[in-house]
Amino acid sequence: MNYTISQIASVIRSKPLQQNAAAVIGHILLDSRKLLFPADSLFFALGGPRRNGNSFIPELYNKGVRNFVVDESLPEDVALKFPEANFLHVPDVLQALHLLTAFHRQQFKIPVIGITGSNGKTIVKEWLFQLLQSDFNIVRSPKSYNSQVGVPLSVWQMNSENTLGIFEAGISQPDEMQRLEKIIAPTIGIFTAIGEAHGEGFLNIRQKINEKLKLFVNSDVLIYNSDDPDINEAVNTFNNNVRTGDAFRLFSWSKKEAATLRIISIEKENAKTSIRAKWNELDVNFNIPFTDEASVENAITCCCALLELERTPAMIAERMPHLRPVEMRLELKQGINNCSVINDSYSADINSLTIALDFLQQQQQHNKRTLILSDILQSGKSSAALYADVAHILEQKNINRFIGIGPEISRQQHVFASIPETVFFSSTAEFKQQFHSQHFHNETILLKGARLFEFEQISNLLEQKVHQTVLEINLNAITHNLNAYQQELNPGVKLMAMVKAFSYGSGSFEIANLLQFHKVDYLAVAYADEGVELRKAGISLPIMVMNAEATSFDAIVQYNLEPELFSFGILGDLETYLIRSAITNYPVHIKLDTGMHRLGFEQNDIPALCKKLQTSTAFKIQTVFSHLAASDSRTHDDFTGHQAIAFMQGCELLQRTIGYTFLRHLANTSAIHRHKELQLDMVRLGIGLYGVDPSPAMQQQLKNVTTLKTTISQIKKVKAGESIGYSRKGIATKDSVIATVRIGYADGYPRILSNGAGKMRVSNHLVPVMGNVCMDMTMLDITGTEVSEGDEVIVFGEELPVSELAAWAQTIPYEILTGISQRVKRVYYEE
């Protein structure tokens, strides 16, 4: 559905239009990097912690965007610079976005399911889609789009073809839900499980439930689990005090007492669960292919929704066994022939395709980008219109090669003529028959397929075979942690991200690509060869090299890297090289030693340094910096203060001598939030980016980034008194069950964790290491746990923090993370 810009101006209560009142809007744009349809996009210039959306207007205007919603900080005479643009001035850009999407929602009279809770929202939404897609044309939230900006983007998808909407809503503080309620306007409400997630903004669990219930102030019915005492009490209070006197209905389910859907029995056997229930005196019995408690509860919630939508018990019994796991993450893996493979093959619709293509576009390690896409099923559009839209998106995203799989996409292959290289197959089987590994070389490949096409068969062909010990890196968590520290920054402060030592063990270009996409200002590496690899992978950000050597000057200059100068020796060597190469004003960084006593010019060196820099034309100083020795320690705050004074004195003298300005940076991860007065012009973010901060308060705000996991190779029963491992260091004190897992000190698991010093998590149990850690294997005492060979083992991660493992190993998280061997394959994912 399209609207004229004058209609939109009226809806969002903006000031009069500047130019073309007849302009037609079909798309909302919030991120300048995700532009697909310039001509009919309306850009909402939202403010952020570091940037105002107004700063992206020139870039978007040059790309063809002509319609903008801006706040009143943008001068009205700005139209003179952009003569063809419409500017809608509003007091609050986010509120304007909410007003427009709420108006859009009002145009549709279809049933809409609104889902909230702490856990299970996305699973319930996706399972409802699986269960109901044959009955309805469904519009739903992409992925986990449930925030103050995610919900508007989700609801904007609604069109005249849809017959059912399913949207999630999440909040992190009071007074957010009533805004989302106006946008979703659910007719059917679902409250899933409640938990501690995002609880920081609420006084207690009851306040959080009450706030979430505001989503249902105008709903016809609310589905909930009355066995949860907090939810049950809050819902009944809501029903009696808020919805009193209207036609609001409660649809409860319970395993314990009378409810709309009364659960009679739950039996688990052989990887399936059988559920028997009563509803309106009718038997409702069904099986699901899951046994975990969360899946059982989510399936019961879905059953209630199906009954509310008048699906029969027989339909429910037929459909529930076909529920599939919901893959909520997109994975980046190393592929054959130096390829990178992005596996997002659990679903195919145009919205999730756009999200996956955004991730593909972030990847700069290869010049060639390939998309393998299946038929898109049940889009609500004609095939011609659907694939014309897809072709336009692929053209905007600069896809070099397109492989279409499926009968319908093959029939529409003519619309993809603008893509340089295309090939089509009627089925996955046909693709496999004609597959040859040499057809894929030095490219980034995105797999996007509907479940029906079983693209896991294609991913098995394309992905490099890996050791079963893997380090998973959550890219969403890195983005979250970056934002957490950015919110601590004073206005105008820049950020340098430390990606040395393989990004603290997490990866090279994979992390740098993400940081570049999120517009950090600088990267820093330890050695020139790390910077060279980033440049070869397409990273264009400025890169500081912290340990420059004379032997690396050729590479530094060739790849436009910026060396740190920390002594007169390295300064003289670089000056000689630059003069011989006829290079002037080469960008460099000066390091001062203010008390760390590792690298850097000491205070008594600064006068001579000033004299040298004053007479040399070889250098252009980009930044001057120093390293705080103990910024995380309150005990050493006085010493930190002395370092800061020495640093500022050194910078002042250098500034006066060279006659031009440079950036100053002193604050590292801890100092960013503990010593905000030392943020100066730029900060250096290191270990905090990867989810570790010495401050408990800051640590609570961070998300776990890395999970090291392996699998059980073999399980043995050992009698009391028998030994386990080399040197017979492990002796069973009783009859025991021992699991050998596929990780050892060659993978980076410290040998000091032998003989019970270390533990791993197996089947949600913490079990000790038995005997000595071997080069490639480690033995665990799993006595009393129910596990099988091949089961997953967590070495560290969300439930077993790397800081805890580091404490057992009598070291620090830095050493553990950077010590993970390169033979341990990294798997990158976005949720």
Side-chain angles (χ1 to χ4, degrees):
M1 183 175 289
N2 296 332
Y3 303 97
T4 66
I5 198 72
S6 58
Q7 283 179 292
I8 292 174
S10 174
V11 169
I12 67 175
R13 306 163 197 162
S14 78
K15 292 184 179 179
L17 296 172
Q18 300 292 335
Q19 300 295 335
N20 178 16
V24 174
I25 300 300
H27 296 89
I28 284 175
L29 180 66
L30 307 183
D31 187 332
S32 63
R33 297 163 297 190
K34 299 179 179 180
L35 176 65
L36 294 175
F37 302 96
D40 67 343
S41 287
L42 176 62
F43 178 65
F44 284 78
L46 295 169
R50 302 186 66 220
R51 292 181 176 86
N52 188 301
N54 295 341
S55 62
F56 299 103
I57 290 172
E59 172 193 342
L60 289 169
Y61 186 85
N62 290 334
K63 291 179 178 179
V65 178
R66 292 295 180 265
N67 300 284
F68 304 88
V69 178
V70 297
D71 63 27
E72 293 170 347
S73 67
L74 188 73
E76 293 192 24
D77 62 3
V78 76
L80 299 175
K81 298 179 182 177
F82 308 101
E84 298 176 8
N86 289 316
F87 287 97
L88 307 187
H89 286 259
V90 295
D92 185 325
V93 175
L94 180 60
Q95 183 185 34
L97 174 66
H98 289 180
L99 287 171
L100 177 58
T101 48
F103 172 80
H104 180 67
R105 165 67 182 93
Q106 292 167 13
Q107 311 312 305
F108 303 94
K109 304 303 180 185
I110 62 175
V112 169
I113 301 173
I115 307 172
T116 193
S118 298
N119 308 307
K121 297 187 294 292
T122 302
I123 299 291
V124 168
K125 177 199 69 184
E126 293 300 321
W127 277 1
L128 286 175
F129 175 76
Q130 292 179 25
L131 293 164
L132 293 168
Q133 60 182 321
S134 60
D135 301 334
F136 297 91
N137 184 304
I138 299 173
V139 56
R140 70 194 196 280
S141 308
K143 305 267 183 177
S144 297
Y145 274 36
N146 57 32
S147 66
Q148 297 290 306
V149 294
V151 167
L153 290 174
S154 300
V155 170
W156 186 257
Q157 301 173 98
M158 296 180 76
N159 63 56
S160 59
E161 302 293 326
N162 301 134
T163 56
L164 176 66
I166 311 175
F167 301 111
E168 301 178 39
I171 57 173
S172 57
Q173 59 189 23
D175 301 324
E176 288 184 335
M177 190 60 88
Q178 49 262 56
R179 302 176 213 160
L180 301 185
E181 187 278 332
K182 291 180 174 63
I183 301 168
I184 298 176
T187 58
I188 299 171
I190 293 178
F191 202 121
T192 63
I194 197 70
E196 297 301 323
H198 309 295
E200 302 85 359
F202 303 96
L203 297 174
N204 49 48
I205 199 90
R206 183 60 184 269
Q207 185 193 31
K208 182 160 73 166
I209 295 171
N210 289 340
E211 288 293 325
K212 288 179 178 287
L213 284 170
K214 291 178 181 177
L215 180 61
F216 312 120
V217 293
N218 293 300
S219 301
D220 298 328
V221 62
L222 172 59
I223 295 167
Y224 71 104
N225 175 9
S226 60
D227 287 342
D228 186 307
D230 291 317
I231 294 177
N232 190 48
E233 183 179 350
V235 167
N236 284 313
T237 301
F238 176 77
N239 186 40
N240 294 330
N241 298 341
V242 178
R243 295 302 303 267
T244 181
D246 64 14
F248 184 59
R249 290 181 293 112
L250 297 181
F251 192 131
S252 60
W253 68 265
S254 173
K255 306 173 192 175
K256 303 175 181 177
E257 56 192 15
T260 314
L261 182 72
R262 175 71 169 94
I263 307 302
I264 306 301
S265 67
I266 297 176
E267 297 179 1
K268 300 178 181 181
E269 185 180 4
N270 298 328
K272 76 173 184 178
T273 301
S274 299
I275 300 168
R276 295 176 54 244
K278 281 281 189 181
W279 170 75
N280 285 349
E281 303 303 321
L282 295 176
D283 291 330
V284 181
N285 304 327
F286 57 91
N287 299 327
I288 60 170
F290 306 95
T291 57
D292 62 285
E293 193 60 31
S295 292
V296 170
E297 294 191 0
N298 290 334
I300 294 171
T301 298
C302 289
C303 174
C304 295
L306 265 63
L307 292 169
E308 177 63 28
L309 288 167
E310 301 180 352
R311 303 307 99 173
T312 66
M315 288 180 180
I316 293 170
E318 190 275 326
R319 295 177 186 182
M320 283 288 189
H322 302 291
L323 283 176
R324 302 182 302 270
V326 176
E327 298 291 345
M328 292 191 294
R329 67 189 213 180
L330 171 156
E331 293 186 338
L332 172 64
K333 297 182 179 179
Q334 191 171 353
I336 59 174
N337 303 326
N338 196 37
C339 292
S340 297
V341 178
I342 302 170
N343 191 346
D344 193 25
S345 59
Y346 71 92
S347 68
D349 59 76
I350 199 161
N351 296 300
S352 63
L353 171 63
T354 303
I355 294 169
L357 287 169
D358 288 336
F359 185 75
L360 173 62
Q361 203 164 35
Q362 289 180 36
Q363 309 308 311
Q364 302 295 319
Q365 60 268 33
H366 301 113
N367 292 325
K368 185 175 182 179
R369 295 188 178 102
T370 295
L371 169 65
I372 304 178
L373 176 69
S374 77
D375 281 356
I376 296 176
L377 308 176
Q378 297 172 315
S379 70
K381 294 184 175 182
S382 69
S383 288
L386 171 65
Y387 292 109
D389 284 349
V390 171
H392 177 80
I393 292 170
L394 301 192
E395 188 175 354
Q396 291 288 317
K397 295 295 186 181
N398 297 315
I399 297 300
N400 306 103
R401 175 162 62 154
F402 177 62
I403 299 173
I405 297 180
E408 198 56 43
I409 203 168
S410 297
R411 277 192 284 271
Q412 300 295 329
Q413 59 183 273
H414 59 279
V415 303
F416 298 97
S418 62
I419 297 173
E421 185 181 346
T422 60
V423 62
F424 294 85
F425 301 93
S426 62
S427 65
T428 302
E430 185 185 0
F431 172 87
K432 287 176 62 183
Q433 288 170 2
Q434 299 187 36
F435 175 83
H436 191 281
S437 62
Q438 293 305 315
H439 292 164
F440 298 91
H441 192 80
N442 287 322
E443 58 195 285
T444 303
I445 307 162
L446 170 61
L447 298 179
K448 192 73 178 139
R451 179 74 68 174
L452 175 68
F453 287 85
E454 299 179 331
F455 268 21
E456 59 270 20
Q457 298 178 48
I458 298 177
S459 68
N460 289 337
L461 294 173
L462 293 174
E463 291 172 11
Q464 192 176 81
K465 302 301 178 278
V466 300
H467 176 28
Q468 289 190 45
T469 298
V470 298
L471 185 69
E472 293 186 343
I473 294 99
N474 184 340
L475 298 178
N476 298 94
I478 291 181
T479 301
H480 170 89
N481 297 341
L482 174 64
N483 290 336
Y485 285 99
Q486 285 179 329
Q487 289 172 8
E488 297 286 335
L489 298 184
N490 298 321
V493 175
K494 297 180 183 295
L495 188 143
M496 174 184 284
M498 312 302 289
V499 292
K500 61 180 181 175
F502 202 55
S503 294
Y504 293 72
S506 296
S508 178
F509 63 80
E510 299 90 351
I511 305 302
N513 272 329
L514 180 71
L515 297 171
Q516 180 166 276
F517 181 76
H518 288 289
K519 299 185 182 298
V520 302
D521 301 287
Y522 252 98
L523 299 178
V525 297
Y527 294 98
D529 56 354
E530 295 176 312
V532 169
E533 289 305 309
L534 295 182
R535 287 284 184 251
K536 287 181 176 179
I539 301 302
S540 58
L541 285 172
I543 300 175
M544 180 175 78
V545 178
M546 303 185 75
N547 294 284
E549 303 165 297
T551 55
S552 66
F553 290 161
D554 282 333
I556 284 173
V557 171
Q558 179 183 353
Y559 289 95
N560 192 27
L561 306 176
E562 301 177 8
E564 166 193 320
L565 302 183
F566 51 82
S567 70
F568 288 110
I570 194 70
L571 184 151
D573 288 345
L574 181 60
E575 183 180 37
T576 299
Y577 174 88
L578 294 173
I579 291 171
R580 190 168 61 242
S581 304
I583 297 172
T584 60
N585 293 313
Y586 194 81
V588 297
H589 303 259
I590 303 296
K591 183 169 188 180
L592 305 182
D593 182 356
T594 57
M596 180 81 166
H597 296 320
R598 188 172 62 181
L599 294 177
F601 293 97
E602 297 189 1
Q603 281 183 286
N604 57 12
D605 294 328
I606 293 178
L609 175 63
C610 289
K611 185 176 180 180
K612 182 68 176 174
L613 293 173
Q614 193 174 32
T615 59
S616 177
T617 60
F619 310 120
K620 174 69 164 50
I621 299 176
Q622 300 296 99
T623 78
V624 175
F625 72 105
S626 186
H627 201 109
L628 296 174
S631 63
D632 60 328
S633 173
R634 188 177 300 278
T635 303
H636 298 296
D637 279 353
D638 286 345
F639 186 80
T640 297
H642 290 310
Q643 282 195 270
I645 292 170
F647 178 69
M648 297 304 290
Q649 290 172 344
C651 287
E652 186 178 350
L653 186 54
L654 283 165
Q655 186 85 65
R656 286 203 309 267
T657 301
I658 65 175
Y660 59 83
T661 59
F662 48 75
L663 297 176
R664 302 160 301 161
H665 50 110
L666 182 62
N668 53 10
T669 292
S670 290
I672 289 173
H673 56 88
R674 288 202 70 246
H675 301 282
K676 289 191 175 185
E677 73 282 3
L678 302 184
Q679 291 180 3
L680 305 178
D681 304 310
M682 185 160 66
V683 299
R684 299 187 305 276
L685 178 57
I687 192 74
L689 187 64
Y690 307 98
V692 178
D693 193 290
S695 163
M698 193 68 199
Q699 183 67 56
Q700 286 184 351
Q701 299 181 44
L702 303 181
K703 289 188 175 181
N704 178 70
V705 170
T706 51
T707 300
L708 181 60
K709 56 175 60 174
T710 186
T711 57
I712 295 174
S713 179
Q714 189 175 23
I715 295 175
K716 293 189 174 186
K717 292 181 179 179
V718 175
K719 293 191 176 297
E722 292 187 342
S723 63
I724 295 96
Y726 283 121
S727 303
R728 303 194 68 216
K729 292 293 185 182
I731 304 294
T733 58
K734 60 182 187 299
D735 289 355
S736 303
V737 181
I738 303 298
T740 300
V741 298
R742 296 177 169 95
I743 189 171
Y745 56 76
D747 300 297
Y749 192 70
R751 197 166 183 270
I752 196 174
L753 296 178
S754 299
N755 297 306
K759 299 177 178 66
M760 299 185 196
R761 188 167 286 277
V762 182
S763 186
N764 212 31
H765 294 276
L766 208 57
V767 299
V769 172
M770 193 68 168
N772 281 334
V773 174
C774 307
M775 180 182 289
D776 309 303
M777 298 285 177
T778 298
M779 286 70 75
L780 304 175
D781 184 350
I782 60 167
T783 307
T785 64
E786 293 185 11
V787 296
S788 303
E789 292 178 359
D791 281 1
E792 184 176 87
V793 177
I794 302 298
V795 182
F796 63 74
E798 184 74 35
E799 301 300 321
L800 177 53
V802 67
S803 56
E804 190 167 348
L805 186 146
W808 295 335
Q810 302 173 37
T811 185
I812 56 177
Y814 297 73
E815 184 176 346
I816 299 298
L817 291 172
T818 58
I820 304 302
S821 165
Q822 291 303 298
R823 80 176 186 181
V824 174
K825 298 304 178 184
R826 273 67 174 170
V827 175
Y828 304 87
Y829 67 92
E830 278 197 351
E831 294 177 334

